[in-house]
Amino acid sequence: MLRELGVKSRQRSDFVDITDEVREEVKRSGIRSGICIVFSRHTTAGITINEGADPDVQRDMVDFLGSRIPVDPSFRHSEGNSDAHIKTTLTGNSTTIPVAEGELLLGTWQSVYLCEFDGPRKRQVLVKLLADP
Ligand code: ZN
Protein backbone atom coordinates (compact mmCIF):
# COMPACT_ATOMS: atom_id res chain seq x y z
CA MET A 1 0.00 0.00 0.00
CA LEU A 2 1.28 3.44 -0.98
CA ARG A 3 -0.20 6.75 0.11
CA GLU A 4 0.80 10.34 -0.41
CA LEU A 5 0.55 13.00 2.28
CA GLY A 6 0.44 16.70 1.47
CA VAL A 7 2.40 18.55 4.14
CA LYS A 8 2.45 22.34 4.45
CA SER A 9 5.46 23.99 6.02
CA ARG A 10 5.13 27.40 7.67
CA GLN A 11 8.62 28.89 7.43
CA ARG A 12 11.80 28.54 5.37
CA SER A 13 13.15 26.10 7.96
CA ASP A 14 10.50 24.17 9.83
CA PHE A 15 10.04 20.77 11.43
CA VAL A 16 6.45 19.65 10.80
CA ASP A 17 5.16 16.82 13.00
CA ILE A 18 3.46 14.28 10.70
CA THR A 19 3.16 11.44 13.24
CA ASP A 20 -0.65 11.56 13.42
CA GLU A 21 -0.99 11.51 9.61
CA VAL A 22 1.37 8.53 9.34
CA ARG A 23 -0.52 6.70 12.12
CA GLU A 24 -3.77 7.33 10.26
CA GLU A 25 -2.34 5.73 7.09
CA VAL A 26 -1.33 2.64 9.11
CA LYS A 27 -4.90 2.36 10.45
CA ARG A 28 -6.44 2.88 7.00
CA SER A 29 -4.21 0.18 5.53
CA GLY A 30 -5.43 -2.45 7.98
CA ILE A 31 -1.87 -3.77 8.28
CA ARG A 32 -1.26 -5.50 11.62
CA SER A 33 2.44 -6.30 11.33
CA GLY A 34 5.15 -5.10 8.98
CA ILE A 35 7.11 -1.95 8.26
CA CYS A 36 6.21 1.63 7.41
CA ILE A 37 8.49 3.67 5.18
CA VAL A 38 8.09 7.45 5.19
CA PHE A 39 9.79 9.12 2.21
CA SER A 40 10.22 12.75 1.18
CA ARG A 41 10.12 13.30 -2.61
CA HIS A 42 12.27 16.42 -2.36
CA THR A 43 15.88 17.55 -2.35
CA THR A 44 15.39 20.39 0.14
CA ALA A 45 13.04 18.69 2.64
CA GLY A 46 13.93 15.56 4.57
CA ILE A 47 12.41 13.17 7.07
CA THR A 48 13.56 12.40 10.58
CA ILE A 49 12.39 10.93 13.87
CA ASN A 50 13.11 12.88 17.01
CA GLU A 51 11.60 14.12 20.24
CA GLY A 52 7.97 15.19 20.08
CA ALA A 53 7.40 16.24 23.69
CA ASP A 54 9.33 19.51 23.84
CA PRO A 55 9.01 21.80 20.77
CA ASP A 56 12.25 23.51 21.83
CA VAL A 57 14.11 20.44 20.54
CA GLN A 58 12.91 21.16 16.99
CA ARG A 59 13.68 24.86 17.40
CA ASP A 60 17.19 24.01 18.61
CA MET A 61 17.75 21.74 15.62
CA VAL A 62 16.55 24.40 13.15
CA ASP A 63 18.71 27.06 14.84
CA PHE A 64 21.75 24.77 15.06
CA LEU A 65 21.59 23.74 11.41
CA GLY A 66 20.95 27.34 10.35
CA SER A 67 23.96 28.65 12.25
CA ARG A 68 26.34 25.92 11.02
CA ILE A 69 25.04 25.83 7.44
CA PRO A 70 24.04 29.42 6.57
CA VAL A 71 22.89 30.75 3.21
CA ASP A 72 26.33 31.35 1.74
CA PRO A 73 26.85 33.40 -1.45
CA SER A 74 30.03 31.42 -2.15
CA PHE A 75 27.99 28.27 -2.87
CA ARG A 76 28.05 27.52 -6.63
CA HIS A 77 24.46 26.27 -7.07
CA SER A 78 22.65 29.05 -8.99
CA GLU A 79 19.31 28.48 -7.24
CA GLY A 80 20.84 29.90 -4.05
CA ASN A 81 19.54 27.16 -1.79
CA SER A 82 22.56 24.92 -1.35
CA ASP A 83 22.21 25.26 2.41
CA ALA A 84 18.81 23.56 2.12
CA HIS A 85 20.26 20.74 -0.01
CA ILE A 86 23.06 20.16 2.51
CA LYS A 87 20.69 20.14 5.51
CA THR A 88 18.42 17.65 3.72
CA THR A 89 21.36 15.33 3.14
CA LEU A 90 22.08 15.48 6.88
CA THR A 91 18.52 14.60 7.94
CA GLY A 92 18.07 12.01 5.20
CA ASN A 93 15.07 11.53 2.93
CA SER A 94 13.27 8.68 4.65
CA THR A 95 12.74 6.69 7.79
CA THR A 96 11.50 3.19 8.51
CA ILE A 97 9.25 2.32 11.45
CA PRO A 98 8.23 -1.19 12.55
CA VAL A 99 4.49 -1.87 12.80
CA ALA A 100 3.02 -4.38 15.27
CA GLU A 101 -0.57 -4.97 16.31
CA GLY A 102 -1.60 -2.25 13.87
CA GLU A 103 0.51 0.45 15.57
CA LEU A 104 3.75 2.24 14.81
CA LEU A 105 6.40 1.05 17.28
CA LEU A 106 7.67 4.54 18.02
CA GLY A 107 9.30 5.15 21.38
CA THR A 108 7.50 7.23 23.98
CA TRP A 109 9.26 10.45 23.01
CA GLN A 110 9.56 9.85 19.28
CA SER A 111 7.67 11.74 16.57
CA VAL A 112 8.05 11.74 12.78
CA TYR A 113 8.97 15.05 11.15
CA LEU A 114 9.09 16.54 7.72
CA CYS A 115 12.22 18.70 7.87
CA GLU A 116 11.62 21.74 5.69
CA PHE A 117 14.67 23.75 4.63
CA ASP A 118 13.38 25.78 1.68
CA GLY A 119 9.82 26.67 2.56
CA PRO A 120 7.24 27.64 3.22
CA ARG A 121 5.55 25.38 0.68
CA LYS A 122 3.52 22.23 0.25
CA ARG A 123 5.50 19.00 0.20
CA GLN A 124 4.71 15.45 -0.85
CA VAL A 125 5.52 12.65 1.56
CA LEU A 126 5.03 9.02 0.59
CA VAL A 127 3.96 6.45 3.15
CA LYS A 128 4.64 2.88 2.03
CA LEU A 129 3.35 0.02 4.16
CA LEU A 130 4.68 -3.50 3.78
CA ALA A 131 2.86 -6.29 5.59
CA ASP A 132 4.68 -9.32 6.91
CA PRO A 133 4.09 -12.36 4.69
ZN1 ZN B 1 18.46 23.95 -5.40
PDB file of all heavy atoms in Angstrom, residues 43-44 77-82 84-85 118, ligand 1:
ATOM      1  N   THR A  43      14.445  17.428  -2.599  1.00  0.00           N
ATOM      2  CA  THR A  43      15.882  17.552  -2.353  1.00  0.00           C
ATOM      3  C   THR A  43      16.198  18.632  -1.325  1.00  0.00           C
ATOM      4  O   THR A  43      17.358  18.798  -0.937  1.00  0.00           O
ATOM      5  CB  THR A  43      16.643  17.872  -3.662  1.00  0.00           C
ATOM      6  OG1 THR A  43      16.158  19.106  -4.171  1.00  0.00           O
ATOM      7  CG2 THR A  43      16.467  16.762  -4.684  1.00  0.00           C
ATOM      8  N   THR A  44      15.169  19.353  -0.886  1.00  0.00           N
ATOM      9  CA  THR A  44      15.392  20.385   0.139  1.00  0.00           C
ATOM     10  C   THR A  44      14.440  20.216   1.320  1.00  0.00           C
ATOM     11  O   THR A  44      14.202  21.161   2.081  1.00  0.00           O
ATOM     12  CB  THR A  44      15.245  21.818  -0.455  1.00  0.00           C
ATOM     13  OG1 THR A  44      13.960  21.946  -1.062  1.00  0.00           O
ATOM     14  CG2 THR A  44      16.336  22.102  -1.472  1.00  0.00           C
ATOM     15  N   HIS A  77      25.800  26.586  -6.561  1.00  0.00           N
ATOM     16  CA  HIS A  77      24.457  26.269  -7.072  1.00  0.00           C
ATOM     17  C   HIS A  77      23.657  27.555  -7.320  1.00  0.00           C
ATOM     18  O   HIS A  77      23.423  28.337  -6.394  1.00  0.00           O
ATOM     19  CB  HIS A  77      23.769  25.378  -6.031  1.00  0.00           C
ATOM     20  CG  HIS A  77      22.376  24.977  -6.338  1.00  0.00           C
ATOM     21  ND1 HIS A  77      21.968  24.559  -7.573  1.00  0.00           N
ATOM     22  CD2 HIS A  77      21.282  24.897  -5.536  1.00  0.00           C
ATOM     23  CE1 HIS A  77      20.684  24.245  -7.524  1.00  0.00           C
ATOM     24  NE2 HIS A  77      20.241  24.450  -6.298  1.00  0.00           N
ATOM     25  N   SER A  78      23.244  27.765  -8.593  1.00  0.00           N
ATOM     26  CA  SER A  78      22.651  29.048  -8.987  1.00  0.00           C
ATOM     27  C   SER A  78      21.304  29.324  -8.330  1.00  0.00           C
ATOM     28  O   SER A  78      20.871  30.473  -8.269  1.00  0.00           O
ATOM     29  CB  SER A  78      22.498  29.101 -10.513  1.00  0.00           C
ATOM     30  OG  SER A  78      21.618  28.082 -10.938  1.00  0.00           O
ATOM     31  N   GLU A  79      20.621  28.290  -7.868  1.00  0.00           N
ATOM     32  CA  GLU A  79      19.315  28.482  -7.237  1.00  0.00           C
ATOM     33  C   GLU A  79      19.435  29.200  -5.887  1.00  0.00           C
ATOM     34  O   GLU A  79      18.433  29.703  -5.363  1.00  0.00           O
ATOM     35  CB  GLU A  79      18.657  27.124  -7.044  1.00  0.00           C
ATOM     36  CG  GLU A  79      17.175  27.118  -7.273  1.00  0.00           C
ATOM     37  CD  GLU A  79      16.574  25.726  -7.141  1.00  0.00           C
ATOM     38  OE1 GLU A  79      17.268  24.782  -6.719  1.00  0.00           O
ATOM     39  OE2 GLU A  79      15.388  25.599  -7.444  1.00  0.00           O
ATOM     40  N   GLY A  80      20.627  29.196  -5.306  1.00  0.00           N
ATOM     41  CA  GLY A  80      20.841  29.904  -4.048  1.00  0.00           C
ATOM     42  C   GLY A  80      20.354  29.183  -2.814  1.00  0.00           C
ATOM     43  O   GLY A  80      20.238  29.786  -1.748  1.00  0.00           O
ATOM     44  N   ASN A  81      20.059  27.896  -2.947  1.00  0.00           N
ATOM     45  CA  ASN A  81      19.540  27.162  -1.785  1.00  0.00           C
ATOM     46  C   ASN A  81      20.391  25.935  -1.433  1.00  0.00           C
ATOM     47  O   ASN A  81      19.867  24.933  -0.931  1.00  0.00           O
ATOM     48  CB  ASN A  81      18.080  26.764  -2.012  1.00  0.00           C
ATOM     49  CG  ASN A  81      17.911  25.814  -3.188  1.00  0.00           C
ATOM     50  OD1 ASN A  81      18.849  25.568  -3.939  1.00  0.00           O
ATOM     51  ND2 ASN A  81      16.714  25.288  -3.354  1.00  0.00           N
ATOM     52  N   SER A  82      21.685  26.059  -1.687  1.00  0.00           N
ATOM     53  CA  SER A  82      22.562  24.922  -1.352  1.00  0.00           C
ATOM     54  C   SER A  82      22.511  24.574   0.130  1.00  0.00           C
ATOM     55  O   SER A  82      22.655  23.406   0.490  1.00  0.00           O
ATOM     56  CB  SER A  82      24.004  25.216  -1.761  1.00  0.00           C
ATOM     57  OG  SER A  82      24.170  24.919  -3.130  1.00  0.00           O
ATOM     58  N   ALA A  84      19.958  24.452   1.950  1.00  0.00           N
ATOM     59  CA  ALA A  84      18.805  23.556   2.124  1.00  0.00           C
ATOM     60  C   ALA A  84      19.125  22.147   1.614  1.00  0.00           C
ATOM     61  O   ALA A  84      18.721  21.147   2.214  1.00  0.00           O
ATOM     62  CB  ALA A  84      17.592  24.126   1.393  1.00  0.00           C
ATOM     63  N   HIS A  85      19.862  22.054   0.506  1.00  0.00           N
ATOM     64  CA  HIS A  85      20.256  20.743  -0.007  1.00  0.00           C
ATOM     65  C   HIS A  85      21.174  20.023   0.994  1.00  0.00           C
ATOM     66  O   HIS A  85      21.022  18.828   1.245  1.00  0.00           O
ATOM     67  CB  HIS A  85      20.972  20.887  -1.351  1.00  0.00           C
ATOM     68  CG  HIS A  85      20.093  21.334  -2.479  1.00  0.00           C
ATOM     69  ND1 HIS A  85      19.127  20.538  -3.037  1.00  0.00           N
ATOM     70  CD2 HIS A  85      20.051  22.511  -3.152  1.00  0.00           C
ATOM     71  CE1 HIS A  85      18.520  21.204  -4.026  1.00  0.00           C
ATOM     72  NE2 HIS A  85      19.058  22.405  -4.104  1.00  0.00           N
ATOM     73  N   ASP A 118      13.517  24.775   2.737  1.00  0.00           N
ATOM     74  CA  ASP A 118      13.379  25.784   1.680  1.00  0.00           C
ATOM     75  C   ASP A 118      11.907  26.136   1.483  1.00  0.00           C
ATOM     76  O   ASP A 118      11.402  26.203   0.373  1.00  0.00           O
ATOM     77  CB  ASP A 118      14.005  25.282   0.373  1.00  0.00           C
ATOM     78  CG  ASP A 118      14.299  26.407  -0.597  1.00  0.00           C
ATOM     79  OD1 ASP A 118      14.346  27.586  -0.172  1.00  0.00           O
ATOM     80  OD2 ASP A 118      14.483  26.120  -1.789  1.00  0.00           O
TER      81      ASP A 118
HETATM   82 ZN    ZN B   1      18.465  23.955  -5.402  1.00  0.00          ZN
END
